[in-house]
Amino acid sequence: MSTKTPQYAAARLTQALASDPRTAELGVRVQLRGEHVYLVGEVASEERRRHLTEVVHELAPELTVHNEVGVVECREPSTAEELD
Amino acid sequence: MIRIAAVGDVHLGEDARGRLRPALEHLRDHADLLLLAGDLTKHGTLAEARVVAEEFADLPVPVVAVLGNHDHHADVPEEIAGLLTEHGIRVLEGDSTVVQLDGAAVGVAGVKGFGGGFAGKCGSAFGEPEMKAFVRHTEEVAGRLRDALDRIDAPARIALTHYSPVTDTLRGEPLEIYPFLGSYLLAEAIDEGGADLAVHGHAHFGTEHGTTPGGVRVRNVAQPVIRCAYKVYNLHGHDGSEAQPA
Ligand SMILES: [Fe+2]
Ligand SMILES: [Fe+2]
């Protein structure tokens, strides 16, 4: 994938993360800085986190992927909000 | 006091089976009902919906849900709703349900909702048929939400949507995509229909707290926002055990 126009490249990667059945993620941000691509957001499992790197790497092997996506927490809430 | 647990955007699938179940173990200690604010699956397939159904089946409190855009992706939303219903989950789309609790009752009106944008910065039903269809869909959905709220015969009412009724709870999302995250028409319906609380999901990068122009509390419970299995809101003054405001 050509990275000459970073805006288009980032948009293409965002679209790929949405449309690739492995990821189907609309909630991940793609930031392109030179030869580096940063992924930010939260997904539901470790496997999905790994798939993000996979999809981006396949499409843009020339880029270094920094997967900063977290796996969403699932603990019981410790407090409640009072609504009067 | 009515204790409402809520979560949206759990995006379950085969790879995330049982992810929430441990945290639901003591649900009864925290809440009287559980609301699911859509995007229950990732691709909207029946296989994923089965995971959702099992995750939220046989809980000690009633479970009320709306579907989200992801739950529509495989074009089988009716089948998904049917499957969840078979597992005891009440799925709303333009209708309402009243949950009877000890000495209290709470009505929940639900729609998926849709986009369009927010007052003064939104699409209009003008021009190309695609644009008219987009805006009219939101108008219709908002109308159904208002009617569903209106018909609730219970002292407390909750509006449950997937898309956002306000911009407050979108803070953190890029401004450019607001028209795809919700519509002010939903807020108008919530204010006119008279709700005590509005709960939504969809905006993963948004913020939990907001209010409609009419003063109804809005909560974005998308799981990446709340960062826990569910949030609990204790709604006071609706069960007769406390003094009603004059
Ligand atoms: Fe979502
Ligand atoms: Fe969504």
Side-chain angles (χ1 to χ4, degrees):
Chain A
M1 192 179 78
S2 167
T3 53
K4 280 188 192 120
T5 317
Q7 289 89 340
Y8 293 138
R12 224 170 286 138
L13 292 172
T14 305
Q15 286 300 334
L17 292 180
S19 59
D20 193 297
R22 282 172 292 175
T23 47
E25 292 294 345
L26 303 172
V28 170
R29 276 186 197 155
V30 177
Q31 290 162 345
L32 212 62
R33 301 285 180 268
E35 302 295 294
H36 297 264
V37 58
Y38 298 84
L39 307 179
V40 184
E42 294 210 35
V43 295
S45 71
E46 186 51 45
E47 191 181 332
R48 289 185 202 178
R49 210 185 82 83
R50 280 198 306 273
H51 281 151
L52 296 168
T53 305
E54 209 173 283
V55 169
V56 171
H57 183 71
E58 281 172 19
L59 207 61
E62 71 281 11
L63 298 177
T64 308
V65 184
H66 302 273
N67 189 340
E68 295 174 357
V69 172
V71 175
V72 78
E73 284 185 53
C74 266
R75 57 198 162 71
E76 230 176 271
S78 47
T79 54
E81 183 185 348
E82 308 297 327
L83 299 176
D84 302 308
Chain B
M1 180 176 84
I2 300 162
R3 304 173 307 163
I4 300 141
V7 63
D9 301 84
V10 294
H11 291 284
L12 292 178
E14 317 268 7
D15 62 329
R17 187 186 290 277
R19 202 168 60 88
L20 283 132
R21 201 68 198 190
L24 297 170
E25 204 66 26
H26 308 290
L27 186 59
R28 192 79 192 87
D29 300 339
H30 300 285
D32 303 309
L33 84 152
L34 173 65
L35 304 178
L36 303 177
D39 276 3
L40 310 177
T41 65
K42 203 169 133 185
H43 306 90
T45 63
L46 276 175
E48 289 175 351
R50 213 157 285 128
V51 175
V52 174
E54 283 162 17
E55 199 84 5
F56 297 104
D58 305 316
L59 289 177
V61 302
V63 182
V64 182
V66 293
L67 300 185
N69 53 317
H70 280 251
D71 308 319
H72 279 252
H73 188 62
D75 296 321
V76 287
E78 281 89 8
E79 288 86 341
I80 290 178
L83 183 67
L84 298 180
T85 306
E86 280 168 29
H87 285 75
I89 299 163
R90 299 182 208 181
V91 183
L92 302 177
E93 180 50 50
D95 50 356
S96 65
T97 182
V98 173
V99 177
Q100 297 293 339
L101 308 167
D102 282 349
V106 58
V108 184
V111 291
K112 174 179 60 66
F114 203 47
F118 297 88
K121 301 162 186 75
C122 57
S124 306
F126 182 87
E128 305 91 321
E130 290 84 356
M131 192 64 202
K132 287 181 198 141
F134 178 74
V135 174
R136 284 203 183 121
H137 178 58
T138 309
E139 288 171 355
E140 270 169 37
V141 166
R144 286 209 295 271
L145 176 63
R146 181 181 45 239
D147 293 345
L149 277 168
D150 217 36
R151 282 195 302 268
I152 291 176
D153 185 19
R157 297 168 198 206
I158 300 169
L160 176 62
T161 61
H162 179 60
Y163 285 79
S164 178
V166 296
T167 55
D168 299 0
T169 49
L170 302 183
R171 274 186 318 244
E173 294 281 2
L175 275 171
E176 293 88 339
I177 68 166
Y178 276 23
F180 304 108
L181 297 178
S183 164
Y184 78 100
L185 295 170
L186 297 171
E188 199 176 21
I190 288 164
D191 285 338
E192 285 177 12
D196 299 289
L197 172 67
V199 172
H200 74 87
H202 192 49
H204 291 205
F205 288 103
T207 310
E208 187 185 351
H209 290 75
T211 341
T212 64
V216 176
R217 256 84 57 105
V218 180
R219 296 294 178 263
N220 175 3
V221 295
Q223 211 180 12
V225 171
I226 62 172
R227 292 168 171 275
C228 55
Y230 54 87
K231 267 286 167 122
V232 178
Y233 305 106
N234 293 335
L235 203 55
H236 292 268
H238 293 281
D239 55 0
S241 70
E242 297 147 88
Q244 297 284 335

